[in-house]
Amino acid sequence: MKRLLSLAALALLPSSATAADQVLGMTSSPLAWACIVIFVVAYCLVMAEEQLHLRKSKPVIMAAGLIWALIAFMASAKGVSHEELKSAVMHDLEEYAAMFLFLLVAMTYINAMEDRQIFATLRCWLITKGFNYFGLFWITGILAFFISPIADNLTTALLMGAVIMAVGEGNPRFITLGMINVVVAANAGGAFSPFGDITTLMVWQAGKVEFFKFFTLFIPAVVNYVIPAAIMSLFIPKGRPMGVQVQSQIRRGGLMICFLFLVTIFLAVSFEKVLGLPPFMGMMTGLALLMFYTYFMHIQGLTSGRRLTARPHGPEETKMDVFKEVAHAEWDTLLFFFGVIFSVGGLRYIGYLDVASESMYAGLGATWTNIIAGVISAVVDNIPVMFAILGMNPEMDTFQWLLITLTAGVGGSLLSVGSAAGVALMGTSKGLYTFVSHLRWSWAIGLGYAASVWVHFLING
């Protein structure tokens, strides 16, 4: 549940033009072809993670190592010095290190909020309110749309998915439609916020779009969600679920931690916009605030004589150790990003991204390439798609960078395997939400995808 991230970034530091522009220009080499095969095989294993029970980080880390080992042989044959080769590797390391710190802080805050039962309390409130199926369909979808920009599409989908499974027991039709609705809403909600999805953060941190410009995607994102939701709502069964009695309360300090998370986001933006510093510096400063707050919580508990144990008539006062929340970060996700960055970075260094940019952006044009890239992200995760496009660095204006941000963010909704939210809910729905059940509604989701692109041209073009 802690694969986050929609509150993350892959390219948080601008690197030197010299390192970024280095390419071997050996795309026709048999060793270069082997690099392509290695990456494709690794990513096929990533896509089959649920079936193979193989963590997604393992194949891409192996691929990254093999690709750069082959690159070293090619570079040596071409007479490239070790210093130049190391410079190319350090270019990718700089991006990964900044992403790692940014992502680790975001994960720690989300873990801390889970520990304080923020999400569990919201879930219990929804379950006990007695809404009918139609109301729950729209409430869970709308909440997913607005929670995703702050949290991430995976955590949001799991939260709302737990509500749907709890209240929809015995009504598989509602569960299926509710799950699809949540996936679409969570992906659409992350598309208009710089912190809502990894791809939006990548574009922002790469300096392609200013922070507040992303919010011009709000209306296209709403259209992307509302059209398929309105169509599916016509098929929601009538009636209301049976009452479910559950209880949960926010633990001590929970609301303050939520406030500190908002302060941390503000610091990340301010460090970048006002001070000209990388956003991860603001995030790390925000992590320090969380550390000091948990320290004062502990001191207050000791001086007031409180027992840091469960109380019979209130939320648990369990001691909170921020370093345990750091340890509980989703390390599989962090290492997966390492593999993606270094694998795609290796292909860029060989020269493949330049070839792809020339054939796609120069041949098809930016608009059609960006729209097609969004559809591709339904099959191949939007992270490597966006990272590859940033590696191509095509000449595009703000409007086109916003377009690829939108399409890459919402394109994953077209298939259940196109986003982390869809994959996670397939694993928790006990067979009620599947690839085929989602595919039956892909036409409605496709209408929302096309309409959101059209609205983006209409209001932002």
Side-chain angles (χ1 to χ4, degrees), residues 81-138:
S81 68
H82 288 178
E83 288 71 22
E84 291 176 352
L85 185 63
K86 289 178 182 177
S87 175
V89 175
M90 293 305 292
H91 165 249
D92 293 338
L93 179 62
E94 185 179 89
E95 293 179 348
Y96 176 71
M99 176 282 300
F100 176 88
L101 295 174
F102 193 107
L103 192 58
L104 189 65
V105 175
M107 288 181 171
T108 301
Y109 262 103
I110 297 297
N111 290 343
M113 286 189 279
E114 287 184 358
D115 179 84
R116 298 293 95 183
Q117 296 187 348
I118 299 296
F119 300 125
T121 302
L122 174 60
R123 171 177 168 266
C124 291
W125 179 83
L126 287 171
I127 291 174
T128 56
K129 283 302 177 180
F131 298 107
N132 60 20
Y133 288 120
F134 185 84
L136 281 168
F137 176 86
W138 281 104

Side-chain angles (χ1 to χ4, degrees), residues 314-350:
E316 291 183 343
E317 295 282 346
T318 50
K319 177 182 177 181
M320 181 178 174
D321 185 348
V322 70
F323 290 104
K324 288 184 178 179
E325 307 306 331
V326 173
H328 292 157
E330 183 47 63
W331 291 96
D332 180 48
T333 299
L334 291 169
L335 295 176
F336 170 73
F337 292 150
F338 170 88
V340 169
I341 287 177
F342 278 84
S343 294
V344 176
L347 298 180
R348 176 201 59 79
Y349 185 64
I350 293 171

Side-chain angles (χ1 to χ4, degrees), residues 243-392:
V244 181
Q245 294 298 322
V246 290
Q247 287 187 343
S248 180
Q249 289 180 281
I250 297 176
R251 292 176 176 172
R252 183 169 67 95
L255 295 179
M256 186 61 181
I257 289 174
C258 291
F259 172 74
L260 289 178
F261 185 45
L262 295 177
V263 171
T264 299
I265 294 175
F266 174 78
L267 288 174
V269 177
S270 299
F271 271 51
E272 194 268 345
K273 296 290 290 184
V274 179
L275 303 179
L277 295 172
F280 78 86
M281 288 299 299
M283 295 294 286
M284 292 300 292
T285 305
L287 178 62
L289 294 177
L290 178 63
M291 290 176 168
F292 275 104
Y293 179 66
T294 55
Y295 168 76
F296 288 125
M297 281 178 61
H298 178 62
I299 296 298
Q300 184 184 27
L302 293 178
T303 57
S304 64
R306 292 185 181 182
R307 294 184 59 196
L308 301 177
T309 56
R311 296 187 303 172
H313 302 294
E316 291 183 343
E317 295 282 346
T318 50
K319 177 182 177 181
M320 181 178 174
D321 185 348
V322 70
F323 290 104
K324 288 184 178 179
E325 307 306 331
V326 173
H328 292 157
E330 183 47 63
W331 291 96
D332 180 48
T333 299
L334 291 169
L335 295 176
F336 170 73
F337 292 150
F338 170 88
V340 169
I341 287 177
F342 278 84
S343 294
V344 176
L347 298 180
R348 176 201 59 79
Y349 185 64
I350 293 171
Y352 279 117
L353 297 191
D354 287 347
V355 173
S357 178
E358 181 66 26
S359 61
M360 294 179 67
Y361 281 96
L364 293 175
T367 296
W368 282 109
T369 299
N370 291 334
I371 293 173
I372 293 172
V375 177
I376 292 174
S377 70
V379 180
V380 180
D381 190 82
N382 60 359
I383 295 169
V385 170
M386 181 61 79
F387 190 70
I389 291 173
L390 287 172
M392 297 176 192

Side-chain angles (χ1 to χ4, degrees), residues 213-236:
K213 278 286 186 180
F214 285 98
F215 295 101
T216 61
L217 292 176
F218 176 76
I219 295 178
V222 169
V223 170
N224 179 269
Y225 162 62
V226 168
I227 288 180
I231 294 172
M232 289 188 291
S233 68
L234 300 176
F235 299 88
I236 294 295

Side-chain angles (χ1 to χ4, degrees), residues 152-208:
D152 68 287
N153 61 350
L154 178 59
T155 301
T156 302
L158 288 172
L159 171 63
M160 295 296 112
V163 175
I164 291 170
M165 289 295 294
V167 300
E169 186 176 0
N171 197 322
R173 188 178 183 184
F174 168 75
I175 291 177
T176 299
L177 292 174
M179 293 287 195
I180 298 171
N181 183 50
V182 163
V183 170
V184 176
N187 290 335
F192 70 87
S193 166
F195 288 90
D197 189 79
I198 296 173
T199 52
T200 57
L201 270 166
M202 291 165 66
V203 174
W204 172 45
Q205 306 295 356
K208 304 301 182 182

